[in-house]
Amino acid sequence: MIALVDCNSFYASCEQVFRPDLWGKPVVVLSNNDGCVIAANKEAKALTEIPMFEPVFKIKKLLIDNRVEFFSSNYTLYGEMSQRVMNTLKLFSPGVEIYSIDESFVDLSNMRFVDLHHHGMDIKETVYRHTGLPVGVGIAPTKVLAKLANKMAKKIAKYDHVCVLDTQAKCIKALKNAELKDIWGIGNKHRQRLNNRGVFNAHQFAYEVSLDWVRKNMTVVGERIWRELRGESCLSLEMLPRAKKAIGTAKSFGTKLSSLDLIEEACAYYIAEVSEVLRKQKSCAQYIQVFLQTNYHSERDKQYSKSITVTLPTASNNTYILTREAKTALHSIYKPGYRYKKVGVNLSGLIPQEYVQTSLFDAEIPACRSDLMKTIDKINQKFGKSTVSSALVGNRMNQWELIKNDRSPRYTTQWNELLTIDAG
Amino acid sequence: MEFDEVAQVQTPDEAHQAGSSEQTGFPSPATHYLESRIDLNKILTRNLDATFFIRIKGDGYRELQINTGDVLIVDRSMTLARGKLAVVVKEGEFKIIRIASNDTLDNMEGQILWGVITYIIHKV
């Protein structure tokens, strides 16, 4: 059996742990680049007018009128709280696959003699007690069914956030009540196709559509879902995190920028961020993409956006090499006379660093260079992000960085931002 | 900030500890008696995943020996017992209470337990 544990409106819940004045009140969290709503708790969702992914300047009045509390995203806090949840889950089973920041699969295959519903309740209550975060638990024989059970746990009040599908009869009943859109991995296109064939619920898909049809029309991915829905486990738990295939970052500037040198500094800063992640996962990038764009929401600004992808002579994770390449790339797409909103970088073609092929004319990358990177990473880890950085990053961040006005304190990672109780 | 200094208690980097020669000199008579140093992190926090630090501002909890600037170590996984200090939520606000020895633990009078205080860090 497999449990899928996921946190209820995770970002908003993280904020609420430290703000009891907001318990039971509507809370939304905004993305840190475009100022869109990216998360809302159930109280906020109940006010149906709040559109997700709308730029916040369009709905700010709506939020204020409805007394919705809004926060800029505080990924430092969410990441740390997520670790607490995942570690707490490990108390219940050594097999925990972290699927996303707020979702994990927990292997319960060795729990043959425990009451699974009781166990699920125990998971839910322990995570809440230890971290303050509410979770839902779905338990079933396969991942796809566990995902469905988790949906039911959330949707159907009588389950009280824990739903167990441990018999064939319960699975069949669940499938009959599940629409295709509730099934993990069936996208819009396939749903349309299945609808056209008269297939509307998950039970019809799993028991009335032939395996041949699924294989032919939905490839091996569809076949796995089909089998998993029938109770045959095809997706194993992945305990080790997968290395990323590409990594990038792009954030809007605080104000529109026209001058190349400030854009360069932002670009160099992002390169430092992503190359540090590369080094952490011990891989190197073969390609680097740089893009630049104006504000497409603005009607009075001239519009321009351009992207360029460069193949590196030798795959690298060295901040200085990547910064140099990015700078050249940026120069080739920058055009004066526009007010730019955003610059972004994306490193792709990631390969393990031990497989890097040097070119014929390369001097072997001197060991001292990577020692330098190691040292810089250590310093920055110890004394805070970008304590040491390349000169191109400069020190004018306040002129381009988006100020996160509504960000909550980093309660769990910064000694100066601890939760404070007023004892007036 | 006057609170900063507490944060400077850090475990020494292993690379910065004195080593001893294996070839020359006298073997230390303490060789078989070496133990690892006291690590406050291990002693003061039993369950890091359920532990939170909370700073107190103001002198309202003097009678509980909690002063302004103190940092509470709060363990959410601990069970509440008589005589313990606890962080509770009442009407949307954090409060600190001591569970009196004659209190029944299930009668919290509308107060929701947030966590049990295990230590108070007081800077002198």
Side-chain angles (χ1 to χ4, degrees), chain A residues 138-200:
Chain A
I139 301 176
T142 69
K143 275 184 165 180
V144 175
L145 286 170
K147 194 97 179 168
L148 176 62
N150 182 281
K151 256 210 170 130
M152 291 163 64
K154 236 186 259 182
K155 231 191 227 164
I156 304 167
K158 71 164 192 213
Y159 287 126
D160 195 15
H161 298 281
V162 176
C163 170
V164 182
L165 302 175
D166 53 353
T167 62
Q168 179 76 2
K170 282 186 199 166
C171 289
I172 298 283
K173 194 172 166 218
L175 290 178
K176 281 187 175 158
N177 286 320
E179 289 174 58
L180 289 176
K181 73 169 167 43
D182 294 331
I183 301 303
W184 190 34
I186 298 186
N188 265 333
K189 208 179 73 195
H190 288 311
R191 202 177 73 217
Q192 276 303 316
R193 251 212 216 133
L194 287 162
N195 285 167
N196 291 342
R197 282 178 53 98
V199 175
F200 293 95

Side-chain angles (χ1 to χ4, degrees), chain A residues 308-321:
Chain A
I308 183 173
T309 303
V310 183
T311 307
L312 296 166
T314 306
S316 175
N317 60 17
N318 183 304
T319 302
Y320 293 92
I321 294 172

Side-chain angles (χ1 to χ4, degrees), chain A residues 345-411:
Chain A
V345 297
N346 197 24
L347 303 177
S348 56
L350 305 191
I351 50 172
Q353 63 186 13
E354 57 267 33
Y355 297 162
V356 171
Q357 196 138 43
T358 47
S359 86
L360 187 58
F361 305 106
D362 260 353
E364 200 186 331
I365 298 168
C368 61
R369 265 298 174 75
S370 69
D371 280 349
L372 176 62
M373 286 299 119
K374 258 185 221 157
T375 310
I376 289 177
D377 288 345
K378 263 201 169 158
I379 292 174
N380 289 341
Q381 245 168 48
K382 195 161 172 181
F383 297 102
K385 197 172 165 181
S386 60
T387 304
V388 178
S389 52
S390 70
L392 192 63
V393 171
N395 56 4
R396 296 186 290 177
M397 272 184 80
N398 55 351
Q399 288 183 48
W400 55 265
E401 199 189 28
L402 189 73
I403 315 294
K404 294 178 202 159
N405 280 328
D406 307 310
R407 199 207 66 207
S408 53
R410 290 164 293 180
Y411 299 108

Side-chain angles (χ1 to χ4, degrees), chain A residues 13 16-17 81 126-134, chain B residues 52 76 114:
Chain A
S13 298
Q16 285 174 300
V17 170
M81 291 298 280
T126 306
V127 172
Y128 180 75
R129 201 157 60 107
H130 287 201
T131 66
L133 295 168
Chain B
F52 295 86
R76 289 185 54 104
W114 197 89

Side-chain angles (χ1 to χ4, degrees), chain A residues 13 25 46 51 66 75 82 109 156 159 172 184 234 278 287 296 390 396 401 406 413 420:
Chain A
S13 298
K25 304 234 167 84
N66 281 294
Y75 287 109
S82 167
S109 54
I156 304 167
Y159 287 126
I172 298 283
W184 190 34
C234 310
L278 271 194
Y287 315 108
Y296 56 88
S390 70
R396 296 186 290 177
E401 199 189 28
D406 307 310
T413 52
T420 301

